[in-house]
């Protein structure tokens, strides 16, 4: 029986510049905003007692859900992910799984949507050697908790901030991971010089 070594997709790839990473995050966030607002507006419409005064929920949900794959396509391809198509497919699967679970637990769709898209973003955004998936997961978890708490204390603010948090949190987590690895390398260099 022959076993194949797992190929490291990150081997030989130069780290992504911060400008390119934040460009990918910004454009993906700008594409996520209308999807988020369409889905939230549809859910508000479904919960409204006056059906004539609110727009039809079906087309809004369809529009929002149709935009989500393009959010991950922008994130993966602009961040120069080595397997962008596979990353988009994994991101969509993770989005569905996390979205259903978190929406059910939180009993609101906005928190579930932030968690779902953040989970998909962890996979879709290119990860360099210095990045940690745990740091990314913690960032998405913190963004999700923040939206959950704000929805129960100051609902309008949470709805406004919701689409900005997931990808921004991942970008900040990557930045902090890079700084941590940089400090570790400098400390190791100083230790070897002595």
């Amino acid at each position: 029986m022959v076993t194949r070594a797992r190929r490291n997709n990150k081997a030989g790839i130069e780290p992504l510049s911060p400008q390119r990473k934040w460009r990918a995050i910004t454009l993906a966030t700008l594409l996520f905003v209308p999807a988020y607002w369409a889905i939230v507006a549809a859910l508000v419409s479904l919960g409204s007692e006056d059906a004539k005064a609110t727009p039809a929920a079906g087309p809004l949900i369809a529009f929002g859900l149709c935009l989500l794959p393009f959010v991950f396509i922008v994130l993966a391809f602009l961040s120069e992910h080595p397997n962008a198509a596979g990353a988009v497919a994994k991101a969509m699967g993770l989005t569905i799984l996390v979205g259903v679970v978190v929406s059910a637990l939180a009993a609101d769709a906005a928190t579930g949507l932030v968690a779902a898209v953040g989970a998909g973003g962890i996979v879709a955004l290119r990860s360099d050697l210095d990045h940690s998936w745990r740091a990314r997961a913690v960032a998405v978890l913190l963004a999700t908790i923040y939206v959950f708490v704000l929805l129960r204390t100051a609902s309008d603010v949470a709805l406004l901030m919701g689409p900005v948090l997931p990808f921004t949190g991942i970008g900040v987590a990557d930045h902090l991971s890079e700084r941590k690895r940089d400090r570790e390398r400098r400390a190791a260099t100083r230790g070897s010089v002595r």
Side-chain angles (χ1 to χ4, degrees):
M1 189 160 114
V2 178
T3 56
R4 287 182 13 188
R6 283 187 67 187
R7 192 174 63 171
N8 186 357
N9 288 338
K10 301 172 192 172
I13 297 176
E14 289 293 317
L16 188 65
S17 72
Q19 293 82 7
R20 287 185 175 177
K21 177 185 292 182
W22 285 102
R23 180 187 67 191
I25 289 171
T26 301
L27 293 176
T29 300
L30 288 174
L31 193 57
F32 176 50
V33 168
Y36 174 87
W37 280 110
I39 293 169
V40 168
L43 296 173
V44 168
S45 175
L46 286 173
S48 176
E49 294 175 8
D50 187 12
K52 291 182 180 179
T54 59
L60 290 172
I61 290 175
F63 173 74
L65 292 178
C66 286
L67 275 181
L68 286 182
F70 294 103
V71 170
F72 297 123
I73 288 170
V74 166
L75 195 59
F77 281 93
L78 289 182
S79 71
E80 300 170 12
H81 196 289
N83 182 14
V88 170
K90 288 178 187 175
M92 286 305 300
L94 199 55
T95 298
I96 293 167
L97 178 68
V98 171
V100 168
V101 171
V102 174
S103 291
L105 291 174
D108 71 79
T111 302
L113 197 53
V114 168
V117 171
I122 291 172
V123 176
L125 183 66
R126 174 180 155 183
S127 177
D128 292 327
L129 290 174
D130 288 340
H131 300 157
S132 163
W133 70 267
R134 287 187 179 124
R136 287 178 167 196
V138 168
V140 171
L141 178 65
L142 290 174
T144 303
I145 291 170
Y146 188 64
V147 169
F148 179 80
V149 170
L150 278 181
L151 278 172
R152 278 132 186 92
T153 58
S155 63
D156 295 342
V157 175
L159 287 177
L160 288 174
M161 293 179 58
V164 176
L165 296 174
F167 301 144
T168 305
I170 294 169
V172 170
D174 285 351
H175 176 72
L176 294 175
S177 294
E178 289 168 5
R179 287 183 62 186
K180 179 182 175 188
R181 298 275 194 268
D182 215 20
R183 282 193 304 266
E184 289 171 355
R185 280 190 211 105
R186 277 190 253 135
T189 304
R190 283 188 217 132
S192 66
V193 171
R194 293 181 185 175

